[in-house]
Amino acid sequence: MSENPLLSISFHIPFNRIRVEHVEPGISELLRQARERIDEFVRSTTPRTFDNTMLELERATENLDYALGVVRHLESVLTTPELRAAWNAMEPQASAFYSGIPLNEGIWKQLQAFAATGEAKALSGTRLRFVTKTLDSFRRHGAELDAAGKKRMAEIDVELTRITTKFSENVLDSTNAFELIVTEEGKLAGLPPSAVAAARQNFQSKNPDTKDATGWRFTLQAPSYIPVLTYLDDRGIREQMYRAYSARATEPERDNRPLLAQILELRREKATLLGFPDFADFVLHDRMAHRGERAIRFLEDLKEKTDPFFAKENAALEAYAGQKLEPWDIGYWAEKQRRALYDFDEEQLRPYFPAVQVVEGMFSIVERLYGIQVKQREGVPVWHPDVRYYEVRERDGLLIGAFYADWFPRETKRDGAWMEAFITGIDAPGHFEPHLGCVCGNLTPPVGDKPALLTHREVETIFHEFGHLLHHVLSRVEVRSLAGTAVAWDFVELPSQIMENWCWEREALDLFARHYETGEAIPEELFRKMVRARTYRGANGQMRQLGFGFTDLKLHRDYTPARDGDVLKYARDILQPFAAAPFPPNYAMIAGFTHLFSSPVGYGAGYYSYKWAEVLDADAFTRFRDEGIFSPQAGGDFRKYILSKGDSEDPAELYRQFMGRDPDPDALLLRSGLIAQG
Ligand SMILES: [Zn+2]
């Protein structure tokens, strides 16, 4: 058998030679090598240095990291049953290997031995941060616990895995247990034809033997539920669907209430065991917010500023509807009001967004801002003929990175859009390595001889993922673990979300948003409608997110069963002020909140990050708004202080270096239409 291409790192990944039969032997061999190298590291009696300790620990898994990244990638963009089976066979072994590292006492001893050396004590900058963060991360995984503590930690993790899995199964089963059959066509009034057809097809597939029977089947799955709550005229059916949806996973046989209490208690116990006052402080310790209390204050401040607009929006909607609104009326009347006010159809924009033009326009924007060149290159192996390969160079020609772009859907590709890092280069004195990554999506594909015409949301998606890619490719950090996108969770969306701002600027749009047949720019009237529709009911959108963030933090900080009683009521009382209409008494949103409770950590205590990142991106963009959206000065600073730095410095400090001050939420409020215009 010829050489297994997964065994060595290659900048031009040999996608043309990697076969499914390479996966199991390749990953097994790399796991063996990594284990052996770690054993040698643990046994070594050589005096400890930065190189033979900190960097050696990184190098020990470098080949394994690379191969796992490549296989995981292929499994998500070009899967087959064989590849999935091979991946599923190897992935648990790899996870077990990585999660064993911080609990390996031998490694911990070597790290502490190094930390005690004169070399370690004299460190500064990135190297000091690397040592501090590594020790910290080991501690947060239980490295310093005694034997009994370590045993309890392991038990908690097993229990949390089991209960959170059960939590999401209950949500899924409860969602699937509901159906509503409509047999009179007249009751479907208001629904768009696509939703009617889907409900008809759903009914027929469930009742194959009764072909002639008339019926439309509705479920609590989003594609069925959302159109009903948004468009269906029949108020009774909307109410029935809403009540069923908001009480999911509270039936006796699928009750998530006891599980919620257990998950919260186990998370609290884990945090306490590791020396933190609560789970929120444990999770936020290495994030930009640092403390649960800080995140709460952040949300409170936004709530206070959003409240008056929220009241105004709700009063306006009730006046428009001419009746008292219940929760199942809000979406329905909001859609009617939106159409009356804006008469705006997203589809009108598509002809202005041919995919190839959008991507080229985006490259020309970043070339101006960051002084780089992006050029397609042929002849490099790729995994599918649709995939393009690009190189990123400095103006003087130095290759700083390369990436693949794979934008269109296939049956073998997973949903959504994402960025991946294959190779993270380092930038040490006298030694620079380029980076390699990719961006993937599932955008509207070309049809016939028409080019792919995108929605505005899809254009934002391209810009967003490319922002993550720039964070990776423009990294100039000497330690791999602190490079590129390996930053705090509430900071990582800044480089991506800020890119979306250019999709709303006339000057930027005129570069690439040109009618695919006539070459005309977006007509001014259409552009204005698009901008106005953006802030429609902005306060309601914001309050919804803030309410979830609050509930999440309060549950993980304050909730005490003996004092606070029923967890559903506790959460309902917190959420009520963020909702446009009073909840029914059995409202149980958190029993179905899989974001927070379907894995041991998940988004637990981290939901605030969505808003946090929006504040950062809206605020940071004001420098471009004020200095010019193509300003090489602002772009240069953004590259220097944010994109090139990875996690080599405290993100709050990096932000201050770029903006000259701390983040200010006003820009987000303004962008969401939540600041009174003078
Ligand atoms: Zn993102």
Side-chain angles (χ1 to χ4, degrees):
M1 188 174 155
S2 62
E3 171 78 355
N4 188 329
L6 292 174
L7 291 181
S8 52
I9 298 178
S10 163
F11 195 80
H12 288 160
I13 302 174
F15 286 110
N16 50 344
R17 289 194 290 119
I18 300 172
R19 305 274 174 266
V20 64
E21 52 271 26
H22 293 129
V23 173
E24 294 195 51
I27 302 293
S28 299
E29 170 58 18
L30 290 167
L31 269 168
R32 192 193 62 73
Q33 289 175 13
R35 285 198 190 99
E36 193 177 282
R37 198 151 169 179
I38 286 199
D39 287 346
E40 266 169 42
F41 171 80
V42 167
R43 278 197 310 268
S44 167
T45 53
T46 323
R48 294 293 93 202
T49 64
F50 185 82
D51 187 82
N52 76 17
T53 310
M54 304 307 299
L55 295 182
E56 174 57 16
L57 203 51
E58 279 207 322
R59 287 189 295 251
T61 61
E62 197 184 334
N63 284 40
L64 179 63
D65 298 340
Y66 163 84
L68 286 168
V70 170
V71 177
R72 187 186 302 115
H73 168 74
L74 285 173
E75 207 285 306
S76 32
V77 292
L78 204 67
T79 194
T80 60
E82 294 77 22
L83 182 58
R84 179 161 298 171
W87 173 244
N88 287 343
M90 298 317 299
E91 199 273 336
Q93 294 184 42
S95 314
F97 166 74
Y98 285 104
S99 55
I101 290 178
L103 294 171
N104 182 321
E105 285 179 29
I107 301 178
W108 181 235
K109 281 201 183 110
Q110 295 288 45
L111 286 175
Q112 283 179 307
F114 170 65
T117 62
E119 186 192 359
K121 291 186 176 129
L123 288 177
S124 62
T126 305
R127 289 180 165 219
L128 173 63
R129 185 170 169 85
F130 184 38
V131 174
T132 311
K133 289 205 80 164
T134 305
L135 293 175
D136 201 47
S137 157
F138 270 66
R139 281 191 201 103
R140 278 158 36 80
H141 283 89
E144 263 181 349
L145 295 175
D146 60 13
K150 280 193 177 132
K151 182 162 167 280
R152 183 61 195 142
M153 270 281 287
E155 286 166 4
I156 292 175
D157 286 340
V158 170
E159 265 304 274
L160 272 176
T161 305
R162 188 184 66 79
I163 302 174
T164 51
T165 305
K166 184 70 189 155
F167 184 96
S168 56
E169 285 170 7
N170 281 346
V171 176
L172 186 67
D173 293 348
S174 183
T175 305
N176 290 337
F178 175 91
E179 63 171 14
L180 185 141
I181 311 286
V182 173
T183 51
E184 290 165 54
E185 195 161 6
K187 291 201 163 184
L188 303 174
L191 269 192
S194 61
V196 173
R200 179 74 190 133
Q201 194 184 19
N202 193 319
F203 178 81
Q204 283 171 335
S205 70
K206 287 281 165 182
N207 302 277
D209 306 328
T210 52
K211 271 258 175 294
D212 305 328
T214 317
W216 292 265
R217 183 173 184 266
F218 295 93
T219 70
L220 299 183
Q221 270 124 17
S224 181
Y225 178 76
I226 291 172
V228 169
L229 270 286
T230 313
Y231 300 105
L232 189 75
D233 293 337
D234 190 307
R235 195 182 191 198
I237 294 179
R238 288 202 314 265
E239 176 176 353
Q240 237 182 309
M241 294 278 286
Y242 174 88
R243 285 184 182 275
Y245 188 85
S246 60
R248 285 179 310 157
T250 55
E251 317 92 289
E253 64 282 22
R254 291 181 284 268
D255 194 349
N256 270 346
R257 271 171 289 194
L259 304 188
L260 269 170
Q262 289 170 42
I263 293 168
L264 290 170
E265 184 46 40
L266 286 166
R267 285 178 175 170
R268 179 189 306 274
E269 188 188 342
K270 181 172 176 165
T272 316
L273 200 58
L274 294 166
F276 292 89
D278 55 54
F279 186 72
D281 276 8
F282 165 67
V283 167
L284 269 53
H285 179 72
D286 66 349
R287 300 208 179 145
M288 210 174 155
H290 287 307
R291 303 282 314 273
E293 201 200 328
R294 174 102 187 279
I296 286 261
R297 268 191 282 119
F298 164 79
L299 295 177
E300 265 164 358
D301 176 46
L302 280 179
K303 176 179 188 289
E304 203 178 295
K305 290 173 168 148
T306 311
D307 256 335
F309 294 87
F310 181 62
K312 237 186 266 171
E313 281 178 12
N314 293 333
L317 188 66
E318 225 157 65
Y320 175 76
Q323 63 181 91
K324 167 112 191 61
L325 299 179
E326 299 288 347
W328 44 88
D329 299 323
I330 304 291
Y332 174 79
W333 285 103
E335 172 59 20
K336 284 206 181 315
Q337 189 193 32
R338 188 189 67 84
R339 266 190 287 180
L341 286 176
Y342 301 115
D343 173 33
F344 171 65
D345 179 359
E346 276 277 337
E347 292 296 307
Q348 292 170 285
L349 286 167
R350 267 191 206 274
Y352 298 92
F353 295 131
V356 173
Q357 225 169 272
V358 168
V359 168
E360 275 166 15
M362 176 175 73
F363 292 161
S364 70
I365 292 172
V366 301
E367 287 176 353
R368 287 161 82 164
L369 285 171
Y370 304 128
I372 52 175
Q373 318 170 44
V374 182
K375 278 211 175 64
Q376 192 180 335
R377 182 172 158 189
E378 310 275 353
V380 172
V382 292
W383 55 90
H384 187 276
D386 283 355
V387 179
R388 299 284 170 269
Y389 180 85
Y390 300 88
E391 289 181 338
V392 183
R393 292 177 184 275
E394 297 285 8
R395 279 221 183 96
D396 66 11
L398 174 74
L399 180 72
I400 46 182
F403 64 95
Y404 307 86
D406 182 2
W407 289 123
F408 300 112
R410 279 189 294 279
E411 277 182 19
T412 52
K413 190 177 186 180
R414 79 165 158 91
D415 281 353
W418 68 94
M419 172 267 169
E420 255 168 294
F422 290 123
I423 293 176
T424 304
I426 52 174
D427 184 15
H431 179 70
F432 171 74
E433 298 166 356
H435 311 278
L436 181 68
C438 81
V439 277
C440 298
N442 282 276
L443 309 173
T444 309
V447 179
D449 51 7
K450 256 196 193 175
L453 299 175
L454 309 178
T455 64
H456 185 250
R457 184 60 218 143
E458 288 177 319
V459 174
E460 285 186 307
T461 300
I462 294 184
F463 276 65
H464 179 107
E465 297 309 329
F466 197 66
H468 283 307
L469 186 95
L470 288 174
H471 200 189
H472 175 61
V473 166
L474 298 183
S475 171
R476 282 322 235 332
V477 176
E478 67 165 308
V479 173
R480 193 166 278 117
S481 310
L482 300 182
T485 58
V487 299
W489 223 39
D490 45 11
F491 187 68
V492 71
E493 296 298 329
L494 167 60
S496 52
Q497 284 177 190
I498 197 170
M499 288 289 293
E500 296 177 26
N501 290 286
W502 275 269
C503 305
W504 292 93
E505 296 293 324
R506 182 86 237 195
E507 256 183 292
L509 285 167
D510 284 350
L511 284 183
F512 63 85
R514 299 256 163 197
H515 195 285
Y516 78 103
E517 286 168 330
T518 65
E520 272 173 281
I522 299 175
E524 188 56 25
E525 201 198 326
L526 183 57
F527 174 70
R528 281 217 209 109
K529 277 186 193 170
M530 160 184 146
V531 170
R532 275 193 300 144
R534 186 188 194 190
T535 54
Y536 172 64
R537 282 175 71 77
N540 268 268
Q542 173 135 303
M543 287 294 268
R544 190 182 144 82
Q545 295 292 317
L546 294 175
F548 292 160
F550 256 105
T551 311
D552 173 28
L553 285 166
K554 294 249 183 207
L555 284 170
H556 286 106
R557 277 165 54 85
D558 302 336
Y559 176 67
T560 312
R563 184 191 65 203
D564 299 318
D566 177 20
V567 68
L568 295 190
K569 183 176 181 309
Y570 179 81
R572 189 164 61 238
D573 290 347
I574 296 172
L575 269 172
Q576 186 61 70
F578 298 87
F583 296 130
N586 63 342
Y587 178 83
M589 190 284 294
I590 56 155
F593 207 169
T594 47
H595 250 76
L596 304 188
F597 299 111
S598 66
S599 68
V601 178
Y603 273 73
Y607 202 91
Y608 77 93
S609 310
Y610 287 112
K611 275 292 150 200
W612 188 275
E614 277 180 56
V615 163
L616 296 184
D617 96 70
D619 186 44
F621 187 70
T622 58
R623 263 202 71 182
F624 294 96
R625 194 195 58 201
D626 298 344
E627 295 172 35
I629 62 164
F630 303 123
S631 158
Q633 180 63 42
D637 282 353
F638 195 71
R639 180 176 176 185
K640 180 173 170 197
Y641 296 119
I642 308 283
L643 295 175
S644 73
K645 291 285 183 166
D647 193 31
S648 62
E649 284 178 49
D650 177 10
E653 188 48 43
L654 292 176
Y655 193 87
R656 273 191 290 272
Q657 286 169 11
F658 175 65
M659 286 303 284
R661 57 164 173 77
D662 283 327
D664 176 348
D666 277 5
L668 174 64
L669 295 167
L670 187 67
R671 190 171 76 183
S672 318
L674 304 175
I675 280 188
Q677 307 276 352

